[in-house]
Amino acid sequence: MITQAQSQLHTVRDLLRFAVSRFNQAGLHFGHGSSSAYDEAAYLILKTLHLPLDQLEPFLDARLIDIERQQVLNILERRITGRIPAAYLTHEAWLGDYSFYVDERVIVPRSFIAGLLQTQLSPWITDPDTISSALDLCTGSGCLAILMAHGFENAHIDAADISTQALEVAHKNVRDYGLEDRIQLIASDLFSALAGKRYDLIISNPPYVNAESMAQLPQEYRHEPQNALASGLDGLDATRIILQQAARYLTGDGWLLVEIGHNREALERAYPQLPFTWLETSAGDEFVFLLRRDQLPA
């Protein structure tokens, strides 16, 4: 089919239609930045052709030279046959207006915390300038630490992860944003290497996929580091440790912000005494909770 496509597809419009048809035919899963075959096809074509990602329409009827057509068909074929997430093919992922380098050493960024950081956690944090120390626990690619640095300009930030390979990716992103003087990368199994540290704000997007969901993951997700996804039978193993230990790493008026996927009901059953504040995100109020230090277990 690729050989036939090389001889019969001539324009961006031709390739876009072909890609959407092939993606739908293959039953691809979209959950790493795009929500549909059309959006993902448009992104991969524009990115491969080095065209602006927000300007498809002006180029739809542009004819491609042979090498461009071959490059686009190659990346489409890799997406289909390997079920590789688009972000790993382009080494790029977006959170809002911020772009980050990614590869298979880290999960593809897709955190609801990103949108919350853009509001500087208003109205709970009334003066962002008072946040002088912060922690991004399970930082992965470093994306949330970088967003935190932009949202809280007086904060020095620790970004911790158990994976030294993930920290290599985070180092590249921190360097690319020129934040080496404000973000310190630390190899740590949750809080294990952070003894004596205190933070005004701790955020975490830890592993939270339960065992049943792990067994049913689409193939695209199996390219991601499994230890960044799986968190025990009910998906709460990492969150339990965070709740048990966070108080000793927070300053007196410190805040803890944690993303927990679809585990709100299970978490509230496990901790009926904790007064979770569930923050409104683009998908609802079931995914991210906020607690003050004095609300946490001692």
Side-chain angles (χ1 to χ4, degrees):
M1 186 171 290
I2 290 296
T3 301
Q4 191 175 17
Q6 288 174 326
S7 63
Q8 298 186 24
L9 303 180
H10 304 291
T11 66
V12 172
R13 189 187 302 273
D14 292 340
L15 284 165
L16 180 62
R17 196 284 307 158
F18 175 77
V20 173
S21 295
R22 291 293 312 281
F23 286 2
N24 286 332
Q25 180 185 28
L28 299 186
H29 183 86
F30 307 102
H32 292 96
S34 300
S35 59
S36 69
Y38 178 89
D39 288 345
E40 188 139 312
Y43 165 71
L44 285 173
I45 291 169
L46 290 169
K47 181 68 177 177
T48 304
L49 295 175
H50 306 286
L51 294 172
L53 298 180
D54 59 350
Q55 296 183 34
L56 175 63
E57 188 69 28
F59 303 105
L60 278 173
D61 295 312
R63 294 176 64 90
L64 279 67
I65 63 174
D66 291 344
I67 186 65
E68 291 176 322
R69 183 165 51 247
Q70 183 63 57
Q71 288 170 342
V72 171
L73 291 172
N74 285 346
I75 203 165
L76 297 179
E77 191 68 13
R78 290 181 64 201
R79 177 67 182 94
I80 293 164
T81 59
R83 300 292 179 114
I84 301 169
Y88 290 153
L89 296 172
T90 62
H91 296 304
E92 174 186 77
W94 289 81
L95 287 176
D97 296 330
Y98 293 84
S99 171
F100 302 97
Y101 173 88
V102 295
D103 59 34
E104 294 188 25
R105 291 174 289 180
V106 296
I107 62 171
V108 178
R110 49 185 181 275
S111 175
F112 292 120
I113 292 175
L116 297 169
L117 290 175
Q118 291 175 5
T119 70
Q120 299 170 304
L121 297 182
S122 174
W124 296 277
I125 293 179
T126 55
D127 185 358
D129 290 340
T130 63
I131 302 297
S132 62
S133 60
L135 169 66
D136 177 20
L137 198 62
C138 307
T139 192
S141 61
C143 56
L144 294 181
I146 290 166
L147 294 184
M148 213 167 20
H150 283 90
F152 300 97
E153 296 184 355
N154 291 335
H156 287 272
I157 296 162
D158 286 345
D161 203 284
I162 191 174
S163 168
T164 55
Q165 288 190 319
L167 291 173
E168 292 170 359
V169 176
H171 176 74
K172 173 174 173 52
N173 284 315
V174 169
R175 186 183 65 230
D176 287 348
Y177 277 95
L179 290 168
E180 300 100 318
D181 61 334
R182 292 187 53 208
I183 298 178
Q184 180 181 7
L185 301 173
I186 302 173
S188 181
D189 183 358
L190 296 178
F191 294 107
S192 65
L194 303 176
K197 300 265 192 175
R198 295 291 185 275
Y199 304 99
D200 300 317
L201 172 63
I202 297 174
I203 68 169
S204 185
N205 182 20
Y208 55 64
V209 182
N210 63 41
E212 181 181 357
S213 297
M214 284 297 298
Q216 300 171 2
L217 283 179
Q219 191 173 342
E220 280 84 351
Y221 290 94
R222 300 189 182 279
H223 289 274
E224 297 184 292
Q226 298 302 289
N227 68 347
L229 297 172
S231 196
L233 187 63
D234 62 359
L236 295 176
D237 282 5
T239 302
R240 285 190 183 89
I241 296 172
I242 292 170
L243 287 172
Q244 290 164 4
Q245 300 184 8
R248 74 184 71 159
Y249 298 94
L250 285 167
T251 57
D253 297 323
W255 292 92
L256 172 69
L257 181 75
V258 181
E259 185 164 339
I260 51 109
H262 295 276
N263 296 327
R264 175 174 174 171
E265 185 177 338
L267 185 67
E268 289 181 327
R269 277 200 312 269
Y271 295 92
Q273 78 283 10
L274 292 187
F276 296 106
T277 296
W278 294 96
L279 305 191
E280 189 67 38
T281 72
S282 59
D285 65 353
E286 300 182 355
F287 305 101
V288 180
F289 70 77
L290 184 70
L291 289 168
R292 292 192 316 269
R293 182 184 185 274
D294 60 7
Q295 297 172 323
L296 286 161

